[in-house]
Amino acid sequence: MILTVTLNTALDLTYRVPRLHPHSSHRVTGVTERAGGKGLNVARVLAALGHRAVVTGFVGGATGESVRRLLAESAHATGNLTDALVPVLGPTRRTVAVVDGSTGDTTQLNEPGPDIAPEEWAAFTDAYARLLRDAAAVALCGSLPPGVPVGAYAHLVRQARALGVPVLLDTDGEPLRRGIAARPDLVKPNTGELAALTGSTEPLRAALDARRRGAHAVAASLGADGMLAVTPTGTWRATPPCRLTGNPTGAGDSAVAALLSGWVENLPWPDRMARAVALSAATVRAAAAGEFDRPTYESLLPQVKVTEA
């Protein structure tokens, strides 16, 4: 199985309005509610691809109950998804995405998350250690809720590596800076996160710098321009055949799912990248994060161009 870690799970709410006008009231034309957080999005895509996924992290309060209910619905639909979330006292956060129907642009509002007590963090690390024993790979995804040590991901990376479990890290800021020093097998930043880490706005230079800081491989999301991967065996750039409009929320999470699935399937790097770019683009066309439009994915996959960089 593939383990995904979401320390800051969320109840994701997506509102659709005909046109977003600041400082005014709006009539909402559609509402979507999902169990959210980056690792949960990754797990749903993995399950849809046919991989068994186990999700862990923190969940609590009434919003946490909603997250578990929605996750159970996803698990029933796919049969490949298992809830191993750790309960905490504080309520799970909410995120609100407002999609402007006239432009397709999305405005995102993210709550900080519950305060995690030291004993809750200790309970999680114990549960994580048990889950790692059966994991073929693990993804550490997203922000840290208040109370979790800023070096949490570095600790979790070292736990995985001690058991020989390949680990992908997808976070930003100081958690990324500390986590990358623990030598994860793969990091998946976007260009902004990579620039903040390295100080370089040139993606190839920044990715090379990130490898020097400890990552064995770097797969950098370039947004609508595709993906750049710098690995021990080569450097590649993957480009989609066209630009798609829609809701980009969750596109990076689909890329993580693609990279993880390609990893456990032992696909060559160019094939992993083609899958990541096609899945990301297909997610833009989906209704909500953690989903992708399968016909779009199947159509784009053979058209993604992968070249040596």
Side-chain angles (χ1 to χ4, degrees):
M1 63 90 166
I2 299 175
L3 178 63
T4 72
V5 173
T6 311
L7 295 177
N8 213 3
T9 56
L11 179 63
D12 285 347
L13 302 172
T14 301
Y15 294 151
R16 296 181 179 275
V17 298
R19 184 182 293 272
L20 184 62
H21 296 284
H23 317 298
S24 64
S25 298
H26 297 78
R27 291 192 179 275
V28 176
T29 58
V31 180
T32 305
E33 189 179 60
R34 290 287 185 274
K38 294 177 72 64
L40 271 66
N41 295 337
V42 171
R44 277 198 297 269
V45 174
L46 285 169
L49 292 173
H51 288 273
R52 188 165 73 90
V54 174
V55 299
T56 191
F58 296 115
V59 68
T63 47
E65 291 176 7
S66 295
V67 165
R68 299 197 101 148
R69 172 180 55 81
L70 293 165
L71 192 59
E73 292 174 5
S74 297
H76 179 74
T78 65
N80 292 326
L81 195 56
T82 300
D83 175 355
L85 294 166
V86 176
V88 295
L89 184 61
T92 295
R93 66 185 178 134
R94 295 162 297 183
T95 70
V96 178
V98 182
V99 180
D100 185 327
S102 65
T103 64
D105 292 338
T106 301
T107 299
Q108 190 83 17
L109 304 173
N110 297 329
E111 295 180 358
D115 283 302
I116 303 301
E119 58 271 20
E120 292 172 332
W121 171 242
F124 170 79
T125 57
D126 288 344
Y128 175 72
R130 290 191 298 270
L131 291 166
L132 280 176
R133 297 170 192 161
D134 297 319
V138 58
L140 308 175
C141 303
S143 62
L144 301 179
V148 171
V150 70
Y153 282 136
H155 176 71
L156 299 181
V157 168
R158 285 191 289 267
Q159 277 188 271
R161 287 185 55 79
L163 294 176
V165 179
V167 56
L168 182 153
L169 178 61
D170 182 17
T171 187
D172 62 1
E174 190 62 21
L176 173 60
R177 190 180 307 277
R178 298 199 186 194
I180 205 170
R183 303 189 61 79
D185 295 274
L186 176 62
V187 294
K188 206 256 359 128
N190 59 36
T191 51
E193 293 161 351
L194 198 55
L197 173 70
T198 66
S200 175
T201 58
E202 200 289 307
L204 179 56
R205 180 180 300 171
L208 289 168
D209 188 353
R211 281 206 69 212
R212 286 191 290 269
R213 291 169 183 260
H216 287 266
V218 179
S221 293
L222 306 179
D225 294 325
M227 176 171 284
L228 171 72
V230 179
T231 80
T233 56
T235 301
W236 294 274
R237 188 181 294 265
T239 308
C242 58
R243 291 174 179 252
L244 299 178
T245 59
N247 181 5
T249 305
D253 304 330
S254 290
V256 169
L259 294 167
L260 276 175
S261 63
W263 190 298
V264 299
E265 292 171 30
N266 293 313
L267 294 181
W269 264 103
D271 291 347
R272 300 182 201 180
M273 294 181 66
R275 181 181 289 182
V277 169
L279 264 180
S280 294
T283 298
V284 171
R285 305 294 289 175
E291 299 178 0
F292 63 94
D293 183 75
R294 191 172 291 273
T296 300
Y297 167 62
E298 293 174 349
S299 171
L300 289 178
L301 183 58
Q303 300 182 64
V304 175
K305 183 179 179 181
V306 182
T307 57
E308 290 193 41

